[in-house]
PDB file of all heavy atoms in Angstrom:
ATOM      1  N   ILE A 273       0.851  -1.197   0.003  1.00 96.00           N
ATOM      2  CA  ILE A 273      -0.006   0.007  -0.014  1.00 96.00           C
ATOM      3  C   ILE A 273       0.892   1.238   0.005  1.00 96.00           C
ATOM      4  O   ILE A 273       1.723   1.415   0.887  1.00 96.00           O
ATOM      5  CB  ILE A 273      -0.916   0.022   1.237  1.00 96.00           C
ATOM      6  CG1 ILE A 273      -1.836  -1.203   1.246  1.00 96.00           C
ATOM      7  CG2 ILE A 273      -1.739   1.304   1.273  1.00 96.00           C
ATOM      8  CD1 ILE A 273      -2.819  -1.270   0.095  1.00 96.00           C
ATOM      9  N   SER A 274       0.696   2.093  -1.000  1.00 93.00           N
ATOM     10  CA  SER A 274       1.498   3.309  -1.099  1.00 93.00           C
ATOM     11  C   SER A 274       1.131   4.280   0.004  1.00 93.00           C
ATOM     12  O   SER A 274       0.045   4.185   0.621  1.00 93.00           O
ATOM     13  CB  SER A 274       1.280   3.979  -2.468  1.00 93.00           C
ATOM     14  OG  SER A 274      -0.035   4.478  -2.560  1.00 93.00           O
ATOM     15  N   MET A 275       1.992   5.251   0.237  1.00 88.00           N
ATOM     16  CA  MET A 275       1.683   6.291   1.254  1.00 88.00           C
ATOM     17  C   MET A 275       0.435   7.044   0.858  1.00 88.00           C
ATOM     18  O   MET A 275      -0.379   7.410   1.698  1.00 88.00           O
ATOM     19  CB  MET A 275       2.869   7.241   1.366  1.00 88.00           C
ATOM     20  CG  MET A 275       4.115   6.606   2.011  1.00 88.00           C
ATOM     21  SD  MET A 275       3.776   5.850   3.624  1.00 88.00           S
ATOM     22  CE  MET A 275       3.321   7.324   4.579  1.00 88.00           C
ATOM     23  N   GLU A 276       0.231   7.267  -0.433  1.00 87.00           N
ATOM     24  CA  GLU A 276      -0.966   7.961  -0.885  1.00 87.00           C
ATOM     25  C   GLU A 276      -2.234   7.115  -0.599  1.00 87.00           C
ATOM     26  O   GLU A 276      -3.220   7.665  -0.083  1.00 87.00           O
ATOM     27  CB  GLU A 276      -0.882   8.225  -2.415  1.00 87.00           C
ATOM     28  CG  GLU A 276      -2.078   8.964  -2.959  1.00 87.00           C
ATOM     29  CD  GLU A 276      -1.965   9.200  -4.449  1.00 87.00           C
ATOM     30  OE1 GLU A 276      -1.011   8.693  -5.058  1.00 87.00           O
ATOM     31  OE2 GLU A 276      -2.840   9.890  -5.015  1.00 87.00           O
ATOM     32  N   GLN A 277      -2.155   5.831  -0.877  1.00 88.00           N
ATOM     33  CA  GLN A 277      -3.304   4.957  -0.585  1.00 88.00           C
ATOM     34  C   GLN A 277      -3.554   4.866   0.912  1.00 88.00           C
ATOM     35  O   GLN A 277      -4.693   4.754   1.332  1.00 88.00           O
ATOM     36  CB  GLN A 277      -3.031   3.546  -1.132  1.00 88.00           C
ATOM     37  CG  GLN A 277      -3.137   3.396  -2.646  1.00 88.00           C
ATOM     38  CD  GLN A 277      -2.756   2.025  -3.094  1.00 88.00           C
ATOM     39  OE1 GLN A 277      -1.690   1.513  -2.740  1.00 88.00           O
ATOM     40  NE2 GLN A 277      -3.608   1.386  -3.896  1.00 88.00           N
ATOM     41  N   SER A 278      -2.505   4.929   1.708  1.00 86.00           N
ATOM     42  CA  SER A 278      -2.665   4.742   3.163  1.00 86.00           C
ATOM     43  C   SER A 278      -3.479   5.857   3.797  1.00 86.00           C
ATOM     44  O   SER A 278      -3.940   5.708   4.951  1.00 86.00           O
ATOM     45  CB  SER A 278      -1.284   4.636   3.833  1.00 86.00           C
ATOM     46  OG  SER A 278      -0.590   5.861   3.790  1.00 86.00           O
ATOM     47  N   SER A 279      -3.676   6.945   3.072  1.00 86.00           N
ATOM     48  CA  SER A 279      -4.493   8.025   3.636  1.00 86.00           C
ATOM     49  C   SER A 279      -5.954   7.667   3.789  1.00 86.00           C
ATOM     50  O   SER A 279      -6.699   8.304   4.526  1.00 86.00           O
ATOM     51  CB  SER A 279      -4.390   9.274   2.714  1.00 86.00           C
ATOM     52  OG  SER A 279      -4.990   9.012   1.446  1.00 86.00           O
ATOM     53  N   ILE A 280      -6.390   6.594   3.118  1.00 88.00           N
ATOM     54  CA  ILE A 280      -7.774   6.147   3.260  1.00 88.00           C
ATOM     55  C   ILE A 280      -7.871   4.935   4.198  1.00 88.00           C
ATOM     56  O   ILE A 280      -8.923   4.309   4.263  1.00 88.00           O
ATOM     57  CB  ILE A 280      -8.412   5.817   1.878  1.00 88.00           C
ATOM     58  CG1 ILE A 280      -7.588   4.726   1.173  1.00 88.00           C
ATOM     59  CG2 ILE A 280      -8.525   7.057   1.022  1.00 88.00           C
ATOM     60  CD1 ILE A 280      -8.270   4.217  -0.117  1.00 88.00           C
ATOM     61  N   ARG A 281      -6.823   4.668   4.934  1.00 92.00           N
ATOM     62  CA  ARG A 281      -6.850   3.539   5.878  1.00 92.00           C
ATOM     63  C   ARG A 281      -7.977   3.741   6.869  1.00 92.00           C
ATOM     64  O   ARG A 281      -8.155   4.808   7.440  1.00 92.00           O
ATOM     65  CB  ARG A 281      -5.512   3.419   6.596  1.00 92.00           C
ATOM     66  CG  ARG A 281      -5.421   2.148   7.419  1.00 92.00           C
ATOM     67  CD  ARG A 281      -4.106   2.040   8.189  1.00 92.00           C
ATOM     68  NE  ARG A 281      -3.976   0.689   8.738  1.00 92.00           N
ATOM     69  CZ  ARG A 281      -3.150   0.392   9.733  1.00 92.00           C
ATOM     70  NH1 ARG A 281      -2.372   1.321  10.266  1.00 92.00           N
ATOM     71  NH2 ARG A 281      -3.128  -0.848  10.188  1.00 92.00           N
ATOM     72  N   GLY A 282      -8.713   2.672   7.100  1.00 88.00           N
ATOM     73  CA  GLY A 282      -9.839   2.709   8.018  1.00 88.00           C
ATOM     74  C   GLY A 282     -11.135   3.229   7.433  1.00 88.00           C
ATOM     75  O   GLY A 282     -12.183   3.153   8.055  1.00 88.00           O
ATOM     76  N   LYS A 283     -11.063   3.719   6.197  1.00 87.00           N
ATOM     77  CA  LYS A 283     -12.246   4.278   5.532  1.00 87.00           C
ATOM     78  C   LYS A 283     -12.809   3.333   4.473  1.00 87.00           C
ATOM     79  O   LYS A 283     -13.926   3.512   3.998  1.00 87.00           O
ATOM     80  CB  LYS A 283     -11.916   5.624   4.891  1.00 87.00           C
ATOM     81  CG  LYS A 283     -11.438   6.663   5.880  1.00 87.00           C
ATOM     82  CD  LYS A 283     -11.022   7.953   5.172  1.00 87.00           C
ATOM     83  CE  LYS A 283     -10.415   8.950   6.149  1.00 87.00           C
ATOM     84  NZ  LYS A 283      -9.956  10.185   5.453  1.00 87.00           N
ATOM     85  N   VAL A 284     -12.002   2.352   4.047  1.00 87.00           N
ATOM     86  CA  VAL A 284     -12.415   1.368   3.051  1.00 87.00           C
ATOM     87  C   VAL A 284     -12.061  -0.028   3.569  1.00 87.00           C
ATOM     88  O   VAL A 284     -11.291  -0.181   4.511  1.00 87.00           O
ATOM     89  CB  VAL A 284     -11.769   1.634   1.690  1.00 87.00           C
ATOM     90  CG1 VAL A 284     -12.201   2.962   1.092  1.00 87.00           C
ATOM     91  CG2 VAL A 284     -10.243   1.576   1.790  1.00 87.00           C
ATOM     92  N   THR A 285     -12.619  -1.041   2.902  1.00 86.00           N
ATOM     93  CA  THR A 285     -12.338  -2.408   3.359  1.00 86.00           C
ATOM     94  C   THR A 285     -11.299  -3.123   2.505  1.00 86.00           C
ATOM     95  O   THR A 285     -10.949  -4.264   2.781  1.00 86.00           O
ATOM     96  CB  THR A 285     -13.626  -3.243   3.333  1.00 86.00           C
ATOM     97  OG1 THR A 285     -14.117  -3.315   1.976  1.00 86.00           O
ATOM     98  CG2 THR A 285     -14.710  -2.640   4.219  1.00 86.00           C
ATOM     99  N   GLY A 286     -10.811  -2.479   1.461  1.00 83.00           N
ATOM    100  CA  GLY A 286      -9.810  -3.083   0.609  1.00 83.00           C
ATOM    101  C   GLY A 286      -9.546  -2.223  -0.571  1.00 83.00           C
ATOM    102  O   GLY A 286     -10.250  -1.220  -0.829  1.00 83.00           O
ATOM    103  N   VAL A 287      -8.540  -2.572  -1.350  1.00 81.00           N
ATOM    104  CA  VAL A 287      -8.235  -1.865  -2.612  1.00 81.00           C
ATOM    105  C   VAL A 287      -8.015  -2.942  -3.665  1.00 81.00           C
ATOM    106  O   VAL A 287      -7.559  -4.023  -3.377  1.00 81.00           O
ATOM    107  CB  VAL A 287      -6.966  -0.968  -2.471  1.00 81.00           C
ATOM    108  CG1 VAL A 287      -7.243   0.222  -1.593  1.00 81.00           C
ATOM    109  CG2 VAL A 287      -5.778  -1.769  -1.935  1.00 81.00           C
ATOM    110  N   PRO A 288      -8.364  -2.630  -4.955  1.00 81.00           N
ATOM    111  CA  PRO A 288      -8.250  -3.650  -6.000  1.00 81.00           C
ATOM    112  C   PRO A 288      -6.824  -4.101  -6.238  1.00 81.00           C
ATOM    113  O   PRO A 288      -6.544  -5.280  -6.422  1.00 81.00           O
ATOM    114  CB  PRO A 288      -8.850  -2.972  -7.220  1.00 81.00           C
ATOM    115  CG  PRO A 288      -8.778  -1.506  -6.931  1.00 81.00           C
ATOM    116  CD  PRO A 288      -8.934  -1.379  -5.466  1.00 81.00           C
ATOM    117  N   VAL A 289      -5.885  -3.175  -6.252  1.00 86.00           N
ATOM    118  CA  VAL A 289      -4.475  -3.486  -6.413  1.00 86.00           C
ATOM    119  C   VAL A 289      -3.649  -2.503  -5.571  1.00 86.00           C
ATOM    120  O   VAL A 289      -4.157  -1.463  -5.192  1.00 86.00           O
ATOM    121  CB  VAL A 289      -4.011  -3.400  -7.900  1.00 86.00           C
ATOM    122  CG1 VAL A 289      -4.609  -4.486  -8.748  1.00 86.00           C
ATOM    123  CG2 VAL A 289      -4.300  -2.028  -8.492  1.00 86.00           C
ATOM    124  N   GLY A 290      -2.415  -2.904  -5.304  1.00 89.00           N
ATOM    125  CA  GLY A 290      -1.532  -2.040  -4.533  1.00 89.00           C
ATOM    126  C   GLY A 290      -0.465  -1.398  -5.395  1.00 89.00           C
ATOM    127  O   GLY A 290      -0.572  -1.392  -6.638  1.00 89.00           O
ATOM    128  N   CYS A 291       0.580  -0.935  -4.754  1.00 96.00           N
ATOM    129  CA  CYS A 291       1.751  -0.419  -5.472  1.00 96.00           C
ATOM    130  C   CYS A 291       2.775  -1.542  -5.584  1.00 96.00           C
ATOM    131  O   CYS A 291       2.526  -2.696  -5.194  1.00 96.00           O
ATOM    132  CB  CYS A 291       2.319   0.763  -4.717  1.00 96.00           C
ATOM    133  SG  CYS A 291       2.934   0.372  -3.052  1.00 96.00           S
ATOM    134  N   ALA A 292       3.926  -1.263  -6.103  1.00 97.00           N
ATOM    135  CA  ALA A 292       4.987  -2.257  -6.178  1.00 97.00           C
ATOM    136  C   ALA A 292       5.419  -2.652  -4.764  1.00 97.00           C
ATOM    137  O   ALA A 292       5.555  -1.795  -3.905  1.00 97.00           O
ATOM    138  CB  ALA A 292       6.180  -1.698  -6.971  1.00 97.00           C
ATOM    139  N   CYS A 293       5.632  -3.930  -4.557  1.00 98.00           N
ATOM    140  CA  CYS A 293       6.109  -4.384  -3.264  1.00 98.00           C
ATOM    141  C   CYS A 293       7.481  -3.764  -2.991  1.00 98.00           C
ATOM    142  O   CYS A 293       8.376  -3.847  -3.823  1.00 98.00           O
ATOM    143  CB  CYS A 293       6.220  -5.913  -3.235  1.00 98.00           C
ATOM    144  SG  CYS A 293       4.618  -6.748  -3.372  1.00 98.00           S
ATOM    145  N   GLY A 294       7.610  -3.169  -1.813  1.00 97.00           N
ATOM    146  CA  GLY A 294       8.830  -2.455  -1.476  1.00 97.00           C
ATOM    147  C   GLY A 294       8.707  -0.963  -1.583  1.00 97.00           C
ATOM    148  O   GLY A 294       9.541  -0.218  -1.054  1.00 97.00           O
ATOM    149  N   ASP A 295       7.688  -0.495  -2.294  1.00 97.00           N
ATOM    150  CA  ASP A 295       7.456   0.946  -2.453  1.00 97.00           C
ATOM    151  C   ASP A 295       6.489   1.496  -1.415  1.00 97.00           C
ATOM    152  O   ASP A 295       6.302   2.720  -1.343  1.00 97.00           O
ATOM    153  CB  ASP A 295       6.888   1.253  -3.842  1.00 97.00           C
ATOM    154  CG  ASP A 295       7.940   1.153  -4.947  1.00 97.00           C
ATOM    155  OD1 ASP A 295       9.112   0.902  -4.613  1.00 97.00           O
ATOM    156  OD2 ASP A 295       7.554   1.315  -6.119  1.00 97.00           O
ATOM    157  N   GLY A 296       5.851   0.608  -0.654  1.00 96.00           N
ATOM    158  CA  GLY A 296       4.792   1.055   0.247  1.00 96.00           C
ATOM    159  C   GLY A 296       5.093   0.823   1.724  1.00 96.00           C
ATOM    160  O   GLY A 296       6.249   0.796   2.152  1.00 96.00           O
ATOM    161  N   VAL A 297       4.043   0.605   2.496  1.00 96.00           N
ATOM    162  CA  VAL A 297       4.115   0.571   3.945  1.00 96.00           C
ATOM    163  C   VAL A 297       4.401  -0.793   4.547  1.00 96.00           C
ATOM    164  O   VAL A 297       4.708  -0.884   5.722  1.00 96.00           O
ATOM    165  CB  VAL A 297       2.791   1.126   4.550  1.00 96.00           C
ATOM    166  CG1 VAL A 297       2.545   2.537   4.127  1.00 96.00           C
ATOM    167  CG2 VAL A 297       1.601   0.222   4.174  1.00 96.00           C
ATOM    168  N   VAL A 298       4.270  -1.854   3.749  1.00 97.00           N
ATOM    169  CA  VAL A 298       4.435  -3.208   4.298  1.00 97.00           C
ATOM    170  C   VAL A 298       5.885  -3.537   4.518  1.00 97.00           C
ATOM    171  O   VAL A 298       6.753  -3.305   3.654  1.00 97.00           O
ATOM    172  CB  VAL A 298       3.772  -4.232   3.346  1.00 97.00           C
ATOM    173  CG1 VAL A 298       4.021  -5.668   3.861  1.00 97.00           C
ATOM    174  CG2 VAL A 298       2.267  -3.976   3.236  1.00 97.00           C
ATOM    175  N   ASP A 299       6.179  -4.110   5.691  1.00 98.00           N
ATOM    176  CA  ASP A 299       7.532  -4.587   6.025  1.00 98.00           C
ATOM    177  C   ASP A 299       7.628  -6.035   5.500  1.00 98.00           C
ATOM    178  O   ASP A 299       7.265  -6.987   6.182  1.00 98.00           O
ATOM    179  CB  ASP A 299       7.722  -4.557   7.550  1.00 98.00           C
ATOM    180  CG  ASP A 299       9.116  -4.977   7.977  1.00 98.00           C
ATOM    181  OD1 ASP A 299       9.816  -5.600   7.179  1.00 98.00           O
ATOM    182  OD2 ASP A 299       9.478  -4.694   9.134  1.00 98.00           O
TER     183      ASP A 299
END
């Protein structure tokens, strides 16, 4: 999940696709 996508955290139940693995918030 990109930093931009993370701004909607808690407001939606999922997203269709994410960003490239390693570019986002997941460790």
Side-chain angles (χ1 to χ4, degrees):
I273 300 296
S274 68
M275 292 304 296
E276 181 180 7
Q277 286 175 309
S278 68
S279 65
I280 58 172
R281 189 182 190 199
K283 301 175 184 177
V284 296
T285 62
V287 289
V289 292
C291 63
C293 294
D295 286 356
V297 299
V298 176
D299 183 341

